[in-house]
Amino acid sequence: MKQKPDLSFWNLWNLSFGFFGVQIAYALQSANISRIFATLGADPHNLSYFWILPPLMGILVQPIVGTLSDKTWTRFGRRIPYLFIGAAVAVLVMCLLPNSGSLGLTISAAMVFGLIALMFLDTSINMAMQPFKMLVGDMVNEKQKAKAYSIQSFLCNAGSVMGYVFPFVFTFIGISNVAEKGVVPDSVIWSFYIGAAILILCVIYTTMKVKEWNPKDYAEYNPVSEEKEESANWITLLKNAPSTFWKVGLVQFFSWAAMLYMWNYTTGAIAEVVWNTTDASSEAFQEAGNWTGILFAVQAVGSVVWAALLPQFKNTKLAYSVSLIIGAIGFCMVPYIHDQYLQFVPFLMIGCAWAAMLAMPFTFVTNALQGYGHMGAYLGLFNGTICIPQIIAALCGGTILSIVGHHQSTMMVVAGVSFLIASVCVFVIKDRK
């Protein structure tokens, strides 16, 4: 078996550049879904249920994409066809979702339309997102893998920043941030339109710049034969998965439950703590929605900075755990800061945890999977460690909100406790260098 060649910085960059556009779409979804459904009339105790669909689609779609792409060889590549199809569908749905309240439907019908659009949006984003992780696993050697995922993390956060700030920027330049009751403001609608345009341009760039290996070259650089890759189903793969797969999954469980609560409840929390309102139809709530995007962008900037510092840690597990602890402290600070600008501090801290969550789990797992084959299928299955905790957290969100006193800001503390548990679980991982 040949050693995979070192790739230049720009080759590593091109492998992941389309992730920038995909992440703009994901950021728009993450920052605005609760705002959209609250604007349509959803009760805060039911908001978490709207967040079941995205991870549910992820756990269904990504293993399928991974498994099918393991067996796909076309003139356009192995992973790229799935990337392009997913992006094309995402662009269409991004133009429909924010218009849920503008079609003359009843409140219940608008919510159903929004739910269906959300289902297709997250399905397509997941379909477009997974190939980037698999391209790195396919084509990057062990020595450069951490660097490749760091580049991916940088592009992910840069795309996030752009997606998060769109509503605030469009409001600043004069696009309306208010609308009649039950209708999503134009600032949000145009954010989705522009995000869709950038997404398809980035994906076109990737398809033009990246040339995947053909079956012969792939077999020369990867230790498992194609015949062996045909032989196992998902149950068999999970039974034979290395222990690191499951141990990293434990950390993922508590990490992603925390992030689900951040995405779900931050708009309501900031409206409560900074703007002193719980009325989703008010101008103050829409301002809080815009500011949530700014705070998420601050989180992404913090993540970019921290991602550059993470390689300086000699102990990878310590770096992972410390990052999660910093994020936990940040979450717990949110309910006690009433100045909108001082809220930058906790979200910068949350960004430290996000940087580690994006880069380190896949480094641990892809290292452990060398020699197992089925890289795409395994990474698709590993996506379950991202989706399952979000589904469980979404199902429990309304109950937990009632237990902690019906204040959405208190859910930030719940997220902080979840991060602390994750930081302890890091030390059960055994890293294969």
Side-chain angles (χ1 to χ4, degrees):
M1 182 189 73
K2 289 183 180 180
Q3 178 68 28
K4 293 178 183 178
D6 286 346
L7 301 178
S8 70
F9 172 83
W10 290 112
N11 283 333
L12 293 173
W13 176 274
N14 291 338
L15 278 177
S16 295
F17 181 73
F19 210 87
F20 175 79
V22 174
Q23 198 61 31
I24 288 177
Y26 191 69
L28 285 167
Q29 174 185 289
S30 300
N32 292 287
I33 289 304
S34 287
R35 177 183 182 178
I36 288 172
F37 283 107
T39 301
L40 294 176
D43 183 273
H45 292 80
N46 298 328
L47 273 180
S48 65
Y49 300 137
F50 295 102
W51 285 89
I52 294 173
L53 276 177
L56 181 61
M57 290 300 102
I59 201 172
L60 292 174
V61 171
Q62 295 210 25
I64 293 172
V65 171
T67 301
L68 290 178
S69 66
D70 279 342
K71 303 173 184 179
T72 297
W73 300 100
T74 73
R75 58 177 294 193
F76 302 106
R78 191 184 193 194
R79 316 295 187 184
I80 286 177
Y82 296 90
L83 160 64
F84 196 86
I85 294 170
V89 175
V91 166
L92 174 63
V93 181
M94 287 175 73
C95 296
L96 295 174
L97 174 59
N99 289 294
S100 300
S102 308
L103 303 176
L105 303 173
T106 63
I107 293 176
S108 58
M111 287 192 183
V112 170
F113 180 87
L115 272 174
I116 294 172
L118 175 59
M119 179 181 69
F120 278 102
L121 177 59
D122 205 79
T123 300
S124 56
I125 289 176
N126 274 288
M127 189 172 181
M129 190 181 295
Q130 185 70 354
F132 291 107
K133 300 169 187 174
M134 295 185 288
L135 283 170
V136 172
D138 286 347
M139 303 180 69
V140 179
N141 61 35
E142 296 305 306
K143 182 175 66 175
Q144 291 189 300
K145 196 166 286 180
K147 182 178 180 181
Y149 280 124
S150 294
I151 291 172
Q152 197 169 97
S153 177
F154 170 81
L155 288 166
C156 170
N157 284 293
S160 295
V161 170
M162 185 170 287
Y164 289 144
V165 303
F166 272 168
F168 181 87
V169 170
F170 288 153
T171 301
F172 180 79
I173 64 176
I175 296 177
S176 177
N177 192 48
V178 293
E180 60 186 274
K181 187 173 182 178
V183 176
V184 177
D186 286 345
S187 58
V188 177
I189 293 174
W190 276 100
S191 296
F192 275 78
Y193 289 169
I194 301 301
I198 296 173
L199 167 59
I200 198 64
L201 290 174
C202 289
V203 168
I204 289 172
Y205 175 91
T206 296
T207 58
M208 293 175 63
K209 290 291 186 179
V210 174
K211 181 174 175 59
E212 295 187 69
W213 291 326
N214 59 40
K216 180 182 177 183
D217 290 338
Y218 179 84
E220 288 180 352
Y221 289 117
N222 290 275
V224 180
S225 69
E226 186 178 351
E227 289 75 21
K228 184 177 177 183
E229 288 212 345
E230 296 283 349
S231 62
N233 58 39
W234 292 350
I235 301 299
T236 303
L237 292 177
L238 290 173
K239 287 170 63 177
N240 295 330
S243 62
T244 299
F245 182 96
W246 300 106
K247 291 174 180 177
V248 176
L250 180 64
V251 181
Q252 292 273 84
F253 182 90
F254 293 103
S255 300
W256 284 94
M259 295 307 297
L260 184 282
Y261 289 142
M262 184 192 81
W263 294 324
N264 194 349
Y265 295 109
T266 296
T267 298
I270 297 303
E272 287 176 4
V273 173
V274 178
W275 271 269
N276 298 312
T277 185
T278 58
D279 181 5
S281 64
S282 67
E283 182 177 353
F285 186 90
Q286 297 301 333
E287 289 180 12
N290 278 0
W291 198 250
T292 294
I294 296 297
L295 293 176
F296 284 2
V298 168
Q299 173 218 315
V301 170
S303 182
V304 170
V305 174
W306 191 249
L309 297 176
L310 280 176
Q312 305 305 314
F313 284 84
K314 294 182 179 179
N315 187 319
T316 306
K317 291 197 293 186
L318 179 63
Y320 196 2
S321 182
V322 167
S323 301
L324 292 171
I325 291 170
I326 293 172
I329 296 170
F331 270 130
C332 293
M333 291 170 61
V334 170
Y336 305 101
I337 297 177
H338 301 285
D339 183 274
Q340 66 188 90
Y341 296 100
L342 287 180
Q343 285 285 353
F344 288 172
V345 175
F347 280 88
L348 282 169
M349 298 172 73
I350 295 167
C352 296
W354 183 238
M357 286 173 61
L358 288 175
M360 292 186 171
F362 286 97
T363 300
F364 284 127
V365 169
T366 54
N367 284 347
L369 287 173
Q370 292 305 308
Y372 277 73
H374 306 279
M375 181 66 77
Y378 266 120
L379 291 183
L381 291 169
F382 184 68
N383 189 63
T385 68
I386 295 173
C387 299
I388 291 174
Q390 292 183 71
I391 293 170
I392 294 173
L395 288 171
C396 298
T399 301
I400 295 174
L401 178 60
S402 297
I403 291 172
V404 299
H406 307 281
H407 295 293
Q408 295 185 58
S409 56
T410 312
M411 294 299 289
M412 300 296 101
V413 178
V414 174
V417 171
S418 191
F419 259 178
L420 282 176
I421 297 171
S423 72
V424 174
C425 294
V426 167
F427 292 100
V428 306
I429 301 171
K430 291 183 180 180
D431 187 21
R432 169 183 167 178
K433 301 295 183 183

